Amino acid sequence: MKIVGICGSPRKDGNSEILLNEFLKYFNGKAEVKKITLNSLKFIPCQECETIRKDGRCKINDDMQEVYNEVENSDLVVVASPIFFGSLSAQTKMMIDRFQCQWLGINFFKTYRPKNKMGIFICVMATERDDFVDNARSIIRHFFKTIGATYFDEIICKGVDEKGKVREKKECFEKIKQVIKRWEVINNENKI
Ligand SMILES: Cc1cc2nc3c(=O)[nH]c(=O)nc-3n(C[C@H](O)[C@H](O)[C@H](O)COP(=O)(O)O)c2cc1C
């Protein structure tokens, strides 16, 4: 099994990364785990190319090519992002926009079919406002659909602002355990 964890926070060791690490840690030695930190990659936003490749591949040759490969070959994609101005971080949104080529490959050119996979959304935010999560979740749902991922579950951690504050939120760590447990049950059922 291959898992890719994508961290969309610019803050190293920030709240998103802490939760993502906690999730991925469990799978060390049990699955092939890859972590991508978007803020460390060199990539540009979607350029809405006039001449789009019909195979669903983006022609911009930057670090997003690595992201495409990892996402494409994964069984589970975990995206962790803070809420910034009621939405995903710019890093996360910029990555998602770059999947427009795959959306076109699937829906317009019908030349690309992503492998079926699962998706999990980890989200942290300072306030308790549900509408901010609704917005981010909606974008993540579209993203997961585009990459062939079923929205398996989410870990939403509200009321965390300072770096590392999430460590005090025991319920968020508990939620991670629950999600992993459910994941294992479903995967074991599928193996039978
Ligand atoms: C540019 C910026 C915009 C933010 N906008 C919001 C917001 O709209 N709603 C909110 O609840 N928190 C907002 N926050 C707070 C972050 O979501 C919060 O600090 C989060 O824990 C950061 O996660 P990180 O440590 O993984 O980067 C914002 C923070 C920044 C830096």
Side-chain angles (χ1 to χ4, degrees), residues 150-191:
T150 303
Y151 196 103
F152 182 78
D153 214 331
E154 59 186 26
I155 295 128
I156 309 290
C157 201
K158 299 177 190 172
V160 291
D161 202 2
E162 313 93 82
K163 186 170 162 176
K165 180 80 177 169
V166 77
R167 289 187 204 282
E168 296 169 21
K169 295 267 181 180
K170 298 282 169 268
E171 66 275 22
C172 301
F173 289 85
E174 201 42 53
K175 175 75 195 225
I176 290 177
K177 276 193 206 152
Q178 284 169 17
V179 172
I180 291 173
K181 208 167 170 184
R182 202 165 77 78
W183 168 263
E184 296 232 295
V185 169
I186 287 172
N187 267 282
N188 287 335
E189 278 171 4
N190 288 342
K191 272 184 210 150

Side-chain angles (χ1 to χ4, degrees), residues 67-85:
V67 180
Y68 296 134
N69 277 338
E70 293 298 337
V71 166
E72 210 163 84
N73 297 317
S74 286
D75 303 292
L76 173 62
V77 176
V78 187
V79 177
S81 173
I83 294 292
F84 281 179
F85 279 88

Side-chain angles (χ1 to χ4, degrees), residues 24-171:
L24 296 179
K25 194 175 79 182
Y26 179 83
F27 291 96
N28 276 340
K30 297 189 176 100
E32 196 185 326
V33 178
K34 169 86 183 176
K35 185 174 147 197
I36 294 173
T37 303
L38 295 176
N39 206 44
S40 306
L41 301 186
K42 289 200 167 34
F43 68 108
I44 61 171
C46 175
Q47 299 298 300
E48 289 199 84
C49 308
E50 297 277 319
T51 48
I52 299 154
R53 283 179 55 163
K54 296 196 173 153
D55 57 1
R57 303 291 170 138
C58 176
K59 62 183 184 180
I60 303 169
N61 195 11
D62 61 11
D63 288 354
M64 269 302 293
Q65 296 300 332
E66 183 202 340
V67 180
Y68 296 134
N69 277 338
E70 293 298 337
V71 166
E72 210 163 84
N73 297 317
S74 286
D75 303 292
L76 173 62
V77 176
V78 187
V79 177
S81 173
I83 294 292
F84 281 179
F85 279 88
S87 186
L88 298 165
S89 69
Q91 289 83 348
T92 311
K93 184 58 165 56
M94 201 162 115
M95 172 199 71
I96 291 174
D97 286 353
R98 286 286 301 273
F99 276 85
Q100 171 70 355
C101 48
Q102 292 197 5
W103 189 92
L104 289 167
I106 298 163
N107 299 293
F108 192 74
F109 298 119
K110 303 197 189 302
T111 50
Y112 178 73
R113 265 187 83 175
K115 178 181 115 169
N116 287 343
K117 48 181 80 70
M118 293 285 182
I120 292 175
F121 181 36
I122 296 176
C123 183
V124 297
M125 63 195 288
T127 65
E128 302 280 340
R129 280 185 57 169
D130 285 331
D131 55 334
F132 288 167
V133 185
D134 292 345
N135 188 14
R137 183 190 290 118
S138 166
I139 301 167
I140 290 289
R141 276 193 190 280
H142 283 296
F143 171 58
F144 282 170
K145 196 158 182 231
T146 299
I147 61 169
T150 303
Y151 196 103
F152 182 78
D153 214 331
E154 59 186 26
I155 295 128
I156 309 290
C157 201
K158 299 177 190 172
V160 291
D161 202 2
E162 313 93 82
K163 186 170 162 176
K165 180 80 177 169
V166 77
R167 289 187 204 282
E168 296 169 21
K169 295 267 181 180
K170 298 282 169 268
E171 66 275 22

